[in-house]
Amino acid sequence: MFQSVSELVTEANQVGSIAEVMIQLECQTTRMPRHEVIKKMEQQLSVMENAAKKGTAGVTSATGLTGGDATKLEAYLAKGNFLSGETILIAVQNAIATNEVNAAMGLICATPTAGSAGVVPGVLFAAKDRLDLDRDAMVRFLFVAGAFGLVIANNASISGAEGGCQAEIGSASAIASAALVDAAGGTPEMCSAAIAMVLKNMMGLICDPVAGLVEVPCVKRNALGASQAMISADMALAGITSVIPTDEVIEAMYKVGRQMPSIFKETAEGGLADTPTGREIKMRIFGQSV
């Protein structure tokens, strides 16, 4: 089994693709036949599709803090008078939609966590249109994301409570970017570069959920994470590389997470959660005793 990004890249070049490396690993660890492993991933894809569709149609969380923004962005896109690229905005729309469904207690696929569940599907569904991906290619996209996610989880963290939001949205954005590079025909080395560029630019991102809820600023961070993933993918595909090797970037992220004060790691004691409005929202939802 690969323990690092460099090992994953080496194995991928030997067997032909990152997705194949991950499929083989899943077969070995779960003892399921290949077709069952792929079928299970297809089921995850279906959950992602349904969540994005439901969120775009419009949902609202029980607190009323989030909901409806994916619908607004869809209407904005339809007007055609937007400033950034259409593909990026489609990714952002679907990322928001997915996390609005999560906030509304709907069914989502944690990729790699519930709080960061919008980034990978957001990027994937934008790539589907832009790259004309068929069903098999979309499933491969998810296996590639999973392979890199496994490395990050084993060598750093994907938990906001342990490593801050850099570990959640940062990891989600990184694996989405790598999978996008692969889907666009990039090499495993380019996928690795995309991982490094995303993590470097999201390093130090704190986890500061207002009132301790996975709503504010989580939903919008998924949106911006999706855009980061797409820009970093383009940079990697252009041949831009990271001066700091990817595995060292992951190690640095881990160290930053360890050094980050607890108030910035999902405790809702710092950052946006500790603003006057953040405290007022907490009081309104939970009352004086919290």
mmCIF file of all heavy atoms in Angstrom, residues 86-105:
data_model
loop_
_atom_site.group_PDB
_atom_site.id
_atom_site.type_symbol
_atom_site.label_atom_id
_atom_site.label_comp_id
_atom_site.label_asym_id
_atom_site.label_seq_id
_atom_site.Cartn_x
_atom_site.Cartn_y
_atom_site.Cartn_z
ATOM 1 N N GLU A 86 -17.644 30.359 -16.319
ATOM 2 C CA GLU A 86 -18.864 29.584 -16.133
ATOM 3 C C GLU A 86 -18.587 28.251 -15.436
ATOM 4 O O GLU A 86 -19.328 27.828 -14.550
ATOM 5 C CB GLU A 86 -19.548 29.332 -17.478
ATOM 6 C CG GLU A 86 -20.854 28.553 -17.353
ATOM 7 C CD GLU A 86 -21.549 28.371 -18.690
ATOM 8 O OE1 GLU A 86 -20.864 28.475 -19.730
ATOM 9 O OE2 GLU A 86 -22.766 28.109 -18.692
ATOM 10 N N THR A 87 -17.500 27.589 -15.839
ATOM 11 C CA THR A 87 -17.188 26.288 -15.246
ATOM 12 C C THR A 87 -16.934 26.417 -13.756
ATOM 13 O O THR A 87 -17.400 25.594 -12.957
ATOM 14 C CB THR A 87 -15.959 25.659 -15.937
ATOM 15 O OG1 THR A 87 -16.212 25.569 -17.347
ATOM 16 C CG2 THR A 87 -15.696 24.273 -15.401
ATOM 17 N N ILE A 88 -16.196 27.432 -13.359
ATOM 18 C CA ILE A 88 -15.938 27.647 -11.935
ATOM 19 C C ILE A 88 -17.240 27.914 -11.187
ATOM 20 O O ILE A 88 -17.479 27.372 -10.099
ATOM 21 C CB ILE A 88 -14.949 28.803 -11.719
ATOM 22 C CG1 ILE A 88 -13.537 28.373 -12.114
ATOM 23 C CG2 ILE A 88 -14.966 29.285 -10.269
ATOM 24 C CD1 ILE A 88 -12.486 29.438 -11.942
ATOM 25 N N LEU A 89 -18.106 28.725 -11.773
ATOM 26 C CA LEU A 89 -19.354 29.051 -11.095
ATOM 27 C C LEU A 89 -20.286 27.847 -10.989
ATOM 28 O O LEU A 89 -21.049 27.724 -10.024
ATOM 29 C CB LEU A 89 -20.054 30.206 -11.807
ATOM 30 C CG LEU A 89 -19.398 31.575 -11.612
ATOM 31 C CD1 LEU A 89 -20.150 32.648 -12.378
ATOM 32 C CD2 LEU A 89 -19.340 31.940 -10.128
ATOM 33 N N ILE A 90 -20.240 26.966 -11.968
ATOM 34 C CA ILE A 90 -21.026 25.724 -11.873
ATOM 35 C C ILE A 90 -20.503 24.878 -10.719
ATOM 36 O O ILE A 90 -21.275 24.291 -9.947
ATOM 37 C CB ILE A 90 -20.973 24.938 -13.192
ATOM 38 C CG1 ILE A 90 -21.745 25.688 -14.288
ATOM 39 C CG2 ILE A 90 -21.565 23.536 -13.015
ATOM 40 C CD1 ILE A 90 -21.587 25.082 -15.670
ATOM 41 N N ALA A 91 -19.187 24.820 -10.586
ATOM 42 C CA ALA A 91 -18.585 24.090 -9.468
ATOM 43 C C ALA A 91 -19.001 24.708 -8.142
ATOM 44 O O ALA A 91 -19.365 23.994 -7.185
ATOM 45 C CB ALA A 91 -17.061 24.091 -9.594
ATOM 46 N N VAL A 92 -18.962 26.015 -8.066
ATOM 47 C CA VAL A 92 -19.346 26.727 -6.854
ATOM 48 C C VAL A 92 -20.820 26.486 -6.520
ATOM 49 O O VAL A 92 -21.187 26.222 -5.366
ATOM 50 C CB VAL A 92 -19.066 28.234 -7.008
ATOM 51 C CG1 VAL A 92 -19.730 29.034 -5.896
ATOM 52 C CG2 VAL A 92 -17.558 28.490 -7.019
ATOM 53 N N GLN A 93 -21.670 26.560 -7.534
ATOM 54 C CA GLN A 93 -23.101 26.337 -7.330
ATOM 55 C C GLN A 93 -23.382 24.963 -6.732
ATOM 56 O O GLN A 93 -24.130 24.826 -5.753
ATOM 57 C CB GLN A 93 -23.842 26.466 -8.663
ATOM 58 C CG GLN A 93 -25.324 26.098 -8.587
ATOM 59 C CD GLN A 93 -25.908 25.793 -9.946
ATOM 60 O OE1 GLN A 93 -25.680 26.532 -10.903
ATOM 61 N NE2 GLN A 93 -26.659 24.709 -10.056
ATOM 62 N N ASN A 94 -22.766 23.945 -7.294
ATOM 63 C CA ASN A 94 -23.008 22.586 -6.816
ATOM 64 C C ASN A 94 -22.368 22.326 -5.455
ATOM 65 O O ASN A 94 -22.876 21.529 -4.662
ATOM 66 C CB ASN A 94 -22.518 21.573 -7.848
ATOM 67 C CG ASN A 94 -23.455 21.467 -9.032
ATOM 68 O OD1 ASN A 94 -24.589 21.021 -8.904
ATOM 69 N ND2 ASN A 94 -22.998 21.891 -10.199
ATOM 70 N N ALA A 95 -21.257 22.993 -5.194
ATOM 71 C CA ALA A 95 -20.636 22.873 -3.868
ATOM 72 C C ALA A 95 -21.550 23.472 -2.806
ATOM 73 O O ALA A 95 -21.783 22.871 -1.744
ATOM 74 C CB ALA A 95 -19.277 23.570 -3.859
ATOM 75 N N ILE A 96 -22.080 24.658 -3.096
ATOM 76 C CA ILE A 96 -23.016 25.293 -2.168
ATOM 77 C C ILE A 96 -24.256 24.432 -1.989
ATOM 78 O O ILE A 96 -24.716 24.198 -0.866
ATOM 79 C CB ILE A 96 -23.414 26.695 -2.676
ATOM 80 C CG1 ILE A 96 -22.226 27.657 -2.586
ATOM 81 C CG2 ILE A 96 -24.603 27.244 -1.870
ATOM 82 C CD1 ILE A 96 -22.497 29.019 -3.201
ATOM 83 N N ALA A 97 -24.803 23.944 -3.097
ATOM 84 C CA ALA A 97 -26.018 23.133 -3.041
ATOM 85 C C ALA A 97 -25.843 21.921 -2.140
ATOM 86 O O ALA A 97 -26.697 21.607 -1.298
ATOM 87 C CB ALA A 97 -26.411 22.681 -4.452
ATOM 88 N N THR A 98 -24.717 21.240 -2.301
ATOM 89 C CA THR A 98 -24.460 20.036 -1.504
ATOM 90 C C THR A 98 -24.365 20.359 -0.030
ATOM 91 O O THR A 98 -24.934 19.653 0.819
ATOM 92 C CB THR A 98 -23.164 19.358 -1.979
ATOM 93 O OG1 THR A 98 -23.296 19.007 -3.356
ATOM 94 C CG2 THR A 98 -22.882 18.102 -1.170
ATOM 95 N N ASN A 99 -23.668 21.427 0.309
ATOM 96 C CA ASN A 99 -23.518 21.742 1.722
ATOM 97 C C ASN A 99 -24.756 22.373 2.323
ATOM 98 O O ASN A 99 -24.975 22.283 3.538
ATOM 99 C CB ASN A 99 -22.284 22.610 1.957
ATOM 100 C CG ASN A 99 -21.097 21.766 2.348
ATOM 101 O OD1 ASN A 99 -20.456 21.188 1.481
ATOM 102 N ND2 ASN A 99 -20.842 21.624 3.641
ATOM 103 N N GLU A 100 -25.579 22.975 1.503
ATOM 104 C CA GLU A 100 -26.867 23.440 2.021
ATOM 105 C C GLU A 100 -27.749 22.244 2.368
ATOM 106 O O GLU A 100 -28.497 22.282 3.357
ATOM 107 C CB GLU A 100 -27.550 24.351 1.000
ATOM 108 C CG GLU A 100 -26.900 25.727 0.906
ATOM 109 C CD GLU A 100 -27.630 26.676 -0.014
ATOM 110 O OE1 GLU A 100 -28.307 26.219 -0.961
ATOM 111 O OE2 GLU A 100 -27.522 27.902 0.204
ATOM 112 N N VAL A 101 -27.675 21.185 1.591
ATOM 113 C CA VAL A 101 -28.412 19.957 1.908
ATOM 114 C C VAL A 101 -27.870 19.352 3.198
ATOM 115 O O VAL A 101 -28.633 18.879 4.045
ATOM 116 C CB VAL A 101 -28.322 18.947 0.749
ATOM 117 C CG1 VAL A 101 -28.823 17.563 1.166
ATOM 118 C CG2 VAL A 101 -29.119 19.445 -0.450
ATOM 119 N N ASN A 102 -26.557 19.376 3.370
ATOM 120 C CA ASN A 102 -25.967 18.872 4.607
ATOM 121 C C ASN A 102 -26.471 19.663 5.811
ATOM 122 O O ASN A 102 -26.855 19.086 6.832
ATOM 123 C CB ASN A 102 -24.443 18.956 4.530
ATOM 124 C CG ASN A 102 -23.767 18.513 5.820
ATOM 125 O OD1 ASN A 102 -23.933 17.390 6.262
ATOM 126 N ND2 ASN A 102 -23.012 19.414 6.441
ATOM 127 N N ALA A 103 -26.486 20.986 5.687
ATOM 128 C CA ALA A 103 -26.948 21.835 6.789
ATOM 129 C C ALA A 103 -28.426 21.616 7.086
ATOM 130 O O ALA A 103 -28.874 21.801 8.225
ATOM 131 C CB ALA A 103 -26.699 23.308 6.451
ATOM 132 N N ALA A 104 -29.172 21.208 6.056
ATOM 133 C CA ALA A 104 -30.605 20.938 6.225
ATOM 134 C C ALA A 104 -30.869 19.490 6.625
ATOM 135 O O ALA A 104 -32.004 19.015 6.568
ATOM 136 C CB ALA A 104 -31.349 21.269 4.938
ATOM 137 N N MET A 105 -29.790 18.782 7.035
ATOM 138 C CA MET A 105 -29.873 17.398 7.504
ATOM 139 C C MET A 105 -30.296 16.427 6.411
ATOM 140 O O MET A 105 -30.917 15.398 6.667
ATOM 141 C CB MET A 105 -30.831 17.291 8.711
ATOM 142 C CG MET A 105 -30.456 18.177 9.881
ATOM 143 S SD MET A 105 -28.776 17.843 10.498
ATOM 144 C CE MET A 105 -29.012 16.248 11.252
#
